[in-house]
Amino acid sequence: MITTDSFHIITLQADDAKSLSEMMVLNFDNFKRYFPITLSKNQSFADSLSYIEEKRKENDSKSEFTFGIKDVSNSKIAGLIIIKEINWDTKQGEFAYCISKEYENKGWMSKAIVLTSKYGFEVLGFNKFQIIAHKTNIGSCKVAEKCGFDWKRTLLNEYTPPNESPLDMELYELEHEK
């Protein structure tokens, strides 16, 4: 667990299922475009219990890492950080993240990505992280920039949201400075 004065970055546990499901359902409109799979897997308490177990297995096998951002003051899940698209040969991973609108604009996600990047470099052994965001997702682009990620290029037709045409996405990268 990584701790700050405001939040903890945790590995999700079964007792987080209710809070996770509530956060996803309350933020349905915010998450449906860029987080459709995670959203679909967290529509009820039972769904979130299954999701948390699935994520625990992925963490154990190091195929993907999913962390919760938990509010210190009330133990609510405020957001998620996922390290996905992991290539252990190049020691590279991609961050995906979401935060409840209740916690937006507090700097939590930027702080959480900085801390999770440090953990990824120092503990997990990554050499590079990527963030892929749409240019209209201003919050996500700002997080990448605030966290020291460099814009690399536009990826053409990189992501297709549900029931939409493919979108060009912006690629940001952060390399480990050894």
Side-chain angles (χ1 to χ4, degrees):
M1 178 177 5
I2 301 169
T3 300
T4 73
D5 291 343
S6 308
F7 61 86
H8 303 296
I9 301 171
I10 56 143
T11 301
L12 295 167
Q13 303 297 320
D15 62 356
D16 296 314
K18 182 177 185 288
S19 179
L20 175 60
S21 175
E22 287 173 355
M23 190 258 313
M24 297 304 283
V25 170
L26 287 171
N27 289 276
F28 184 89
D29 288 338
N30 279 14
F31 296 163
K32 67 184 178 189
R33 189 172 197 204
Y34 297 113
F35 254 72
I37 296 169
T38 304
L39 183 60
S40 71
K41 292 181 177 185
N42 286 284
Q43 290 298 293
S44 70
F45 173 76
D47 288 347
S48 289
L49 272 176
S50 296
Y51 176 83
I52 289 168
E53 179 58 21
E54 174 189 334
K55 295 303 163 184
R56 188 193 63 74
K57 289 177 183 171
E58 290 173 355
N59 283 359
D60 289 347
S61 70
K62 298 184 178 186
S63 61
E64 195 169 283
F65 297 94
T66 299
F67 303 100
I69 300 171
K70 195 173 207 177
D71 187 333
V72 170
S73 69
N74 59 21
S75 295
K76 284 171 51 175
I77 298 296
L80 295 174
I81 297 175
I82 302 167
I83 303 173
K84 62 182 198 164
E85 303 297 329
I86 295 171
N87 180 328
W88 285 112
D89 293 333
T90 60
K91 297 185 179 173
Q92 178 176 302
E94 176 190 332
F95 279 117
Y97 44 87
C98 63
I99 194 157
S100 175
K101 53 188 163 202
E102 177 182 352
Y103 294 93
E104 286 179 342
N105 300 313
K106 293 182 177 209
W108 282 24
M109 188 55 74
S110 295
K111 193 176 210 177
I113 292 293
V114 165
L115 293 168
T116 307
S117 297
K118 185 175 189 227
Y119 175 81
F121 290 140
E122 295 176 2
V123 177
L124 299 176
F126 283 92
N127 290 328
K128 183 191 292 183
F129 284 115
Q130 296 181 321
I131 291 174
I132 297 174
H134 192 262
K135 64 185 176 189
T136 62
N137 189 345
I138 306 297
S140 191
C141 293
K142 280 185 179 177
V143 166
E145 292 163 3
K146 283 183 188 175
C147 295
F149 283 69
D150 296 318
W151 179 86
K152 294 297 182 181
R153 67 184 178 280
T154 300
L155 304 171
L156 301 179
N157 299 319
E158 176 67 15
Y159 174 71
T160 306
N163 307 312
E164 291 187 44
S165 299
L167 299 175
D168 297 344
M169 303 292 278
E170 305 307 313
L171 172 65
Y172 298 85
E173 292 184 341
L174 179 68
E175 294 196 41
H176 184 40
E177 296 176 10
K178 295 179 182 179

